Amino acid sequence: MCGVRRTSHQRARMAELIDPAADTQATAWLALADAGDGHGSWEAAGTAFRAAVSAERWTEQLSAARGPLGALTSRALAVEQRLNGLPGAPPGEYVVRQYHSVYGGVKAVVETLTLRREDDGAWRVVGYFIR
């Protein structure tokens, strides 16, 4: 993983841009995924996510994507974007986060997590991609 050095001003600016509620939800959801809890991460996900894939299919997909990588070694938030809509997605507020992650101590990947503010006001994961 290549390190990105940020100045204290850049770190402070990034910290103030991060939505605390979205950060809490993202961290909790990733903990479920990291534990291999496909069913738990599916239940904690947003309406659009649950409508797009069954709990059983999601569990299979999570295992297939994460299993070969080995254990998570490190994860760092690289980018967070707040958006008022995404192409092909229902209208609403979104937060798209990209993480630079390392699995098995050697496999560097980019994880993209998309959250949407649901009708009840809570942020929930509606998309997860790993490459």
Side-chain angles (χ1 to χ4, degrees), residues 88-111:
E93 291 179 75
Y94 291 85
V95 170
V96 179
R97 303 178 117 213
Q98 285 192 327
Y99 299 87
H100 293 171
S101 305
V102 176
Y103 285 84
V106 294
K107 296 179 183 108
V109 300
V110 174
E111 294 177 287

PDB file of all heavy atoms in Angstrom, residues 88-111:
ATOM      1  N   GLY A  88     -28.810   6.452 -11.857  1.00  0.00           N
ATOM      2  CA  GLY A  88     -29.488   5.165 -11.769  1.00  0.00           C
ATOM      3  C   GLY A  88     -29.947   4.772 -10.378  1.00  0.00           C
ATOM      4  O   GLY A  88     -30.417   3.662 -10.174  1.00  0.00           O
ATOM      5  N   ALA A  89     -29.806   5.681  -9.416  1.00  0.00           N
ATOM      6  CA  ALA A  89     -30.200   5.389  -8.033  1.00  0.00           C
ATOM      7  C   ALA A  89     -31.391   6.257  -7.638  1.00  0.00           C
ATOM      8  O   ALA A  89     -31.619   7.311  -8.243  1.00  0.00           O
ATOM      9  CB  ALA A  89     -29.026   5.652  -7.093  1.00  0.00           C
ATOM     10  N   PRO A  90     -32.143   5.824  -6.645  1.00  0.00           N
ATOM     11  CA  PRO A  90     -33.259   6.656  -6.184  1.00  0.00           C
ATOM     12  C   PRO A  90     -32.761   8.025  -5.711  1.00  0.00           C
ATOM     13  O   PRO A  90     -31.626   8.148  -5.251  1.00  0.00           O
ATOM     14  CB  PRO A  90     -33.832   5.861  -4.996  1.00  0.00           C
ATOM     15  CG  PRO A  90     -33.303   4.486  -5.130  1.00  0.00           C
ATOM     16  CD  PRO A  90     -32.008   4.594  -5.881  1.00  0.00           C
ATOM     17  N   PRO A  91     -33.597   9.054  -5.831  1.00  0.00           N
ATOM     18  CA  PRO A  91     -33.193  10.376  -5.358  1.00  0.00           C
ATOM     19  C   PRO A  91     -32.878  10.336  -3.865  1.00  0.00           C
ATOM     20  O   PRO A  91     -33.427   9.522  -3.128  1.00  0.00           O
ATOM     21  CB  PRO A  91     -34.424  11.256  -5.609  1.00  0.00           C
ATOM     22  CG  PRO A  91     -35.340  10.463  -6.470  1.00  0.00           C
ATOM     23  CD  PRO A  91     -34.956   9.028  -6.346  1.00  0.00           C
ATOM     24  N   GLY A  92     -31.980  11.201  -3.445  1.00  0.00           N
ATOM     25  CA  GLY A  92     -31.668  11.278  -2.028  1.00  0.00           C
ATOM     26  C   GLY A  92     -30.251  11.738  -1.775  1.00  0.00           C
ATOM     27  O   GLY A  92     -29.500  12.045  -2.699  1.00  0.00           O
ATOM     28  N   GLU A  93     -29.905  11.776  -0.495  1.00  0.00           N
ATOM     29  CA  GLU A  93     -28.564  12.147  -0.060  1.00  0.00           C
ATOM     30  C   GLU A  93     -27.699  10.899   0.011  1.00  0.00           C
ATOM     31  O   GLU A  93     -28.111   9.887   0.579  1.00  0.00           O
ATOM     32  CB  GLU A  93     -28.604  12.754   1.342  1.00  0.00           C
ATOM     33  CG  GLU A  93     -29.258  14.100   1.464  1.00  0.00           C
ATOM     34  CD  GLU A  93     -29.237  14.540   2.912  1.00  0.00           C
ATOM     35  OE1 GLU A  93     -28.160  14.949   3.396  1.00  0.00           O
ATOM     36  OE2 GLU A  93     -30.291  14.443   3.553  1.00  0.00           O
ATOM     37  N   TYR A  94     -26.492  10.998  -0.511  1.00  0.00           N
ATOM     38  CA  TYR A  94     -25.560   9.877  -0.520  1.00  0.00           C
ATOM     39  C   TYR A  94     -24.198  10.311   0.004  1.00  0.00           C
ATOM     40  O   TYR A  94     -23.807  11.464  -0.137  1.00  0.00           O
ATOM     41  CB  TYR A  94     -25.373   9.333  -1.946  1.00  0.00           C
ATOM     42  CG  TYR A  94     -26.594   8.646  -2.490  1.00  0.00           C
ATOM     43  CD1 TYR A  94     -27.614   9.360  -3.103  1.00  0.00           C
ATOM     44  CD2 TYR A  94     -26.735   7.266  -2.380  1.00  0.00           C
ATOM     45  CE1 TYR A  94     -28.743   8.730  -3.598  1.00  0.00           C
ATOM     46  CE2 TYR A  94     -27.857   6.626  -2.875  1.00  0.00           C
ATOM     47  CZ  TYR A  94     -28.863   7.359  -3.480  1.00  0.00           C
ATOM     48  OH  TYR A  94     -29.979   6.723  -3.970  1.00  0.00           O
ATOM     49  N   VAL A  95     -23.500   9.358   0.573  1.00  0.00           N
ATOM     50  CA  VAL A  95     -22.096   9.515   0.923  1.00  0.00           C
ATOM     51  C   VAL A  95     -21.369   8.341   0.277  1.00  0.00           C
ATOM     52  O   VAL A  95     -21.756   7.187   0.469  1.00  0.00           O
ATOM     53  CB  VAL A  95     -21.862   9.512   2.447  1.00  0.00           C
ATOM     54  CG1 VAL A  95     -20.384   9.434   2.783  1.00  0.00           C
ATOM     55  CG2 VAL A  95     -22.491  10.743   3.093  1.00  0.00           C
ATOM     56  N   VAL A  96     -20.349   8.655  -0.520  1.00  0.00           N
ATOM     57  CA  VAL A  96     -19.533   7.621  -1.149  1.00  0.00           C
ATOM     58  C   VAL A  96     -18.157   7.706  -0.512  1.00  0.00           C
ATOM     59  O   VAL A  96     -17.534   8.765  -0.493  1.00  0.00           O
ATOM     60  CB  VAL A  96     -19.444   7.814  -2.679  1.00  0.00           C
ATOM     61  CG1 VAL A  96     -18.554   6.737  -3.300  1.00  0.00           C
ATOM     62  CG2 VAL A  96     -20.834   7.788  -3.304  1.00  0.00           C
ATOM     63  N   ARG A  97     -17.710   6.584   0.038  1.00  0.00           N
ATOM     64  CA  ARG A  97     -16.415   6.531   0.721  1.00  0.00           C
ATOM     65  C   ARG A  97     -15.519   5.526   0.023  1.00  0.00           C
ATOM     66  O   ARG A  97     -15.955   4.426  -0.297  1.00  0.00           O
ATOM     67  CB  ARG A  97     -16.598   6.078   2.169  1.00  0.00           C
ATOM     68  CG  ARG A  97     -17.533   6.950   2.941  1.00  0.00           C
ATOM     69  CD  ARG A  97     -17.720   6.447   4.362  1.00  0.00           C
ATOM     70  NE  ARG A  97     -17.208   7.501   5.223  1.00  0.00           N
ATOM     71  CZ  ARG A  97     -16.608   7.307   6.380  1.00  0.00           C
ATOM     72  NH1 ARG A  97     -16.427   6.100   6.843  1.00  0.00           N
ATOM     73  NH2 ARG A  97     -16.189   8.331   7.085  1.00  0.00           N
ATOM     74  N   GLN A  98     -14.279   5.910  -0.182  1.00  0.00           N
ATOM     75  CA  GLN A  98     -13.286   4.973  -0.710  1.00  0.00           C
ATOM     76  C   GLN A  98     -12.211   4.774   0.343  1.00  0.00           C
ATOM     77  O   GLN A  98     -11.721   5.744   0.938  1.00  0.00           O
ATOM     78  CB  GLN A  98     -12.665   5.491  -1.996  1.00  0.00           C
ATOM     79  CG  GLN A  98     -13.609   5.368  -3.168  1.00  0.00           C
ATOM     80  CD  GLN A  98     -12.912   5.609  -4.486  1.00  0.00           C
ATOM     81  OE1 GLN A  98     -11.993   6.400  -4.569  1.00  0.00           O
ATOM     82  NE2 GLN A  98     -13.370   4.918  -5.512  1.00  0.00           N
ATOM     83  N   TYR A  99     -11.889   3.516   0.553  1.00  0.00           N
ATOM     84  CA  TYR A  99     -10.864   3.126   1.514  1.00  0.00           C
ATOM     85  C   TYR A  99      -9.720   2.458   0.776  1.00  0.00           C
ATOM     86  O   TYR A  99      -9.950   1.696  -0.163  1.00  0.00           O
ATOM     87  CB  TYR A  99     -11.427   2.115   2.521  1.00  0.00           C
ATOM     88  CG  TYR A  99     -12.575   2.601   3.341  1.00  0.00           C
ATOM     89  CD1 TYR A  99     -13.886   2.479   2.881  1.00  0.00           C
ATOM     90  CD2 TYR A  99     -12.365   3.166   4.600  1.00  0.00           C
ATOM     91  CE1 TYR A  99     -14.953   2.912   3.652  1.00  0.00           C
ATOM     92  CE2 TYR A  99     -13.424   3.598   5.369  1.00  0.00           C
ATOM     93  CZ  TYR A  99     -14.720   3.472   4.894  1.00  0.00           C
ATOM     94  OH  TYR A  99     -15.788   3.902   5.656  1.00  0.00           O
ATOM     95  N   HIS A 100      -8.514   2.726   1.221  1.00  0.00           N
ATOM     96  CA  HIS A 100      -7.349   1.966   0.771  1.00  0.00           C
ATOM     97  C   HIS A 100      -7.139   0.901   1.837  1.00  0.00           C
ATOM     98  O   HIS A 100      -6.895   1.222   3.003  1.00  0.00           O
ATOM     99  CB  HIS A 100      -6.119   2.859   0.642  1.00  0.00           C
ATOM    100  CG  HIS A 100      -6.262   3.868  -0.453  1.00  0.00           C
ATOM    101  ND1 HIS A 100      -5.364   4.879  -0.642  1.00  0.00           N
ATOM    102  CD2 HIS A 100      -7.200   4.020  -1.432  1.00  0.00           C
ATOM    103  CE1 HIS A 100      -5.738   5.618  -1.677  1.00  0.00           C
ATOM    104  NE2 HIS A 100      -6.847   5.113  -2.171  1.00  0.00           N
ATOM    105  N   SER A 101      -7.259  -0.353   1.438  1.00  0.00           N
ATOM    106  CA  SER A 101      -7.213  -1.456   2.388  1.00  0.00           C
ATOM    107  C   SER A 101      -6.159  -2.474   1.978  1.00  0.00           C
ATOM    108  O   SER A 101      -5.840  -2.605   0.794  1.00  0.00           O
ATOM    109  CB  SER A 101      -8.580  -2.149   2.455  1.00  0.00           C
ATOM    110  OG  SER A 101      -9.594  -1.201   2.770  1.00  0.00           O
ATOM    111  N   VAL A 102      -5.645  -3.176   2.966  1.00  0.00           N
ATOM    112  CA  VAL A 102      -4.673  -4.239   2.725  1.00  0.00           C
ATOM    113  C   VAL A 102      -5.198  -5.495   3.416  1.00  0.00           C
ATOM    114  O   VAL A 102      -5.590  -5.465   4.580  1.00  0.00           O
ATOM    115  CB  VAL A 102      -3.273  -3.863   3.266  1.00  0.00           C
ATOM    116  CG1 VAL A 102      -2.299  -5.029   3.088  1.00  0.00           C
ATOM    117  CG2 VAL A 102      -2.744  -2.611   2.584  1.00  0.00           C
ATOM    118  N   TYR A 103      -5.198  -6.578   2.669  1.00  0.00           N
ATOM    119  CA  TYR A 103      -5.633  -7.880   3.181  1.00  0.00           C
ATOM    120  C   TYR A 103      -4.464  -8.839   3.133  1.00  0.00           C
ATOM    121  O   TYR A 103      -3.660  -8.807   2.211  1.00  0.00           O
ATOM    122  CB  TYR A 103      -6.784  -8.428   2.332  1.00  0.00           C
ATOM    123  CG  TYR A 103      -8.091  -7.729   2.596  1.00  0.00           C
ATOM    124  CD1 TYR A 103      -8.397  -6.533   1.966  1.00  0.00           C
ATOM    125  CD2 TYR A 103      -9.000  -8.250   3.491  1.00  0.00           C
ATOM    126  CE1 TYR A 103      -9.591  -5.883   2.213  1.00  0.00           C
ATOM    127  CE2 TYR A 103     -10.198  -7.612   3.743  1.00  0.00           C
ATOM    128  CZ  TYR A 103     -10.486  -6.427   3.102  1.00  0.00           C
ATOM    129  OH  TYR A 103     -11.671  -5.780   3.364  1.00  0.00           O
ATOM    130  N   GLY A 104      -4.381  -9.684   4.125  1.00  0.00           N
ATOM    131  CA  GLY A 104      -3.331 -10.695   4.152  1.00  0.00           C
ATOM    132  C   GLY A 104      -1.942 -10.088   4.186  1.00  0.00           C
ATOM    133  O   GLY A 104      -0.976 -10.754   3.851  1.00  0.00           O
ATOM    134  N   GLY A 105      -1.844  -8.824   4.547  1.00  0.00           N
ATOM    135  CA  GLY A 105      -0.561  -8.161   4.646  1.00  0.00           C
ATOM    136  C   GLY A 105       0.053  -7.753   3.326  1.00  0.00           C
ATOM    137  O   GLY A 105       1.046  -7.056   3.299  1.00  0.00           O
ATOM    138  N   VAL A 106      -0.556  -8.175   2.207  1.00  0.00           N
ATOM    139  CA  VAL A 106       0.073  -7.887   0.919  1.00  0.00           C
ATOM    140  C   VAL A 106      -0.893  -7.439  -0.180  1.00  0.00           C
ATOM    141  O   VAL A 106      -0.464  -6.830  -1.148  1.00  0.00           O
ATOM    142  CB  VAL A 106       0.876  -9.100   0.396  1.00  0.00           C
ATOM    143  CG1 VAL A 106       2.052  -9.398   1.282  1.00  0.00           C
ATOM    144  CG2 VAL A 106       0.001 -10.319   0.252  1.00  0.00           C
ATOM    145  N   LYS A 107      -2.133  -7.781  -0.093  1.00  0.00           N
ATOM    146  CA  LYS A 107      -3.074  -7.505  -1.176  1.00  0.00           C
ATOM    147  C   LYS A 107      -3.745  -6.151  -0.972  1.00  0.00           C
ATOM    148  O   LYS A 107      -4.662  -6.014  -0.184  1.00  0.00           O
ATOM    149  CB  LYS A 107      -4.116  -8.617  -1.263  1.00  0.00           C
ATOM    150  CG  LYS A 107      -3.505  -9.949  -1.625  1.00  0.00           C
ATOM    151  CD  LYS A 107      -4.548 -11.040  -1.677  1.00  0.00           C
ATOM    152  CE  LYS A 107      -3.895 -12.359  -1.957  1.00  0.00           C
ATOM    153  NZ  LYS A 107      -3.875 -13.231  -0.797  1.00  0.00           N
ATOM    154  N   ALA A 108      -3.278  -5.139  -1.692  1.00  0.00           N
ATOM    155  CA  ALA A 108      -3.849  -3.793  -1.605  1.00  0.00           C
ATOM    156  C   ALA A 108      -5.082  -3.713  -2.501  1.00  0.00           C
ATOM    157  O   ALA A 108      -5.046  -4.130  -3.659  1.00  0.00           O
ATOM    158  CB  ALA A 108      -2.824  -2.754  -2.013  1.00  0.00           C
ATOM    159  N   VAL A 109      -6.163  -3.194  -1.963  1.00  0.00           N
ATOM    160  CA  VAL A 109      -7.411  -3.057  -2.706  1.00  0.00           C
ATOM    161  C   VAL A 109      -8.031  -1.695  -2.395  1.00  0.00           C
ATOM    162  O   VAL A 109      -7.654  -1.031  -1.430  1.00  0.00           O
ATOM    163  CB  VAL A 109      -8.426  -4.172  -2.356  1.00  0.00           C
ATOM    164  CG1 VAL A 109      -7.871  -5.549  -2.673  1.00  0.00           C
ATOM    165  CG2 VAL A 109      -8.856  -4.092  -0.900  1.00  0.00           C
ATOM    166  N   VAL A 110      -8.990  -1.327  -3.223  1.00  0.00           N
ATOM    167  CA  VAL A 110      -9.815  -0.153  -2.949  1.00  0.00           C
ATOM    168  C   VAL A 110     -11.217  -0.665  -2.670  1.00  0.00           C
ATOM    169  O   VAL A 110     -11.788  -1.409  -3.473  1.00  0.00           O
ATOM    170  CB  VAL A 110      -9.829   0.827  -4.142  1.00  0.00           C
ATOM    171  CG1 VAL A 110     -10.802   1.972  -3.883  1.00  0.00           C
ATOM    172  CG2 VAL A 110      -8.435   1.361  -4.409  1.00  0.00           C
ATOM    173  N   GLU A 111     -11.739  -0.286  -1.518  1.00  0.00           N
ATOM    174  CA  GLU A 111     -13.112  -0.626  -1.155  1.00  0.00           C
ATOM    175  C   GLU A 111     -13.946   0.641  -1.288  1.00  0.00           C
ATOM    176  O   GLU A 111     -13.556   1.696  -0.791  1.00  0.00           O
ATOM    177  CB  GLU A 111     -13.202  -1.125   0.282  1.00  0.00           C
ATOM    178  CG  GLU A 111     -12.497  -2.439   0.509  1.00  0.00           C
ATOM    179  CD  GLU A 111     -12.543  -2.864   1.959  1.00  0.00           C
ATOM    180  OE1 GLU A 111     -11.814  -2.244   2.772  1.00  0.00           O
ATOM    181  OE2 GLU A 111     -13.293  -3.789   2.283  1.00  0.00           O
TER     182      GLU A 111
END
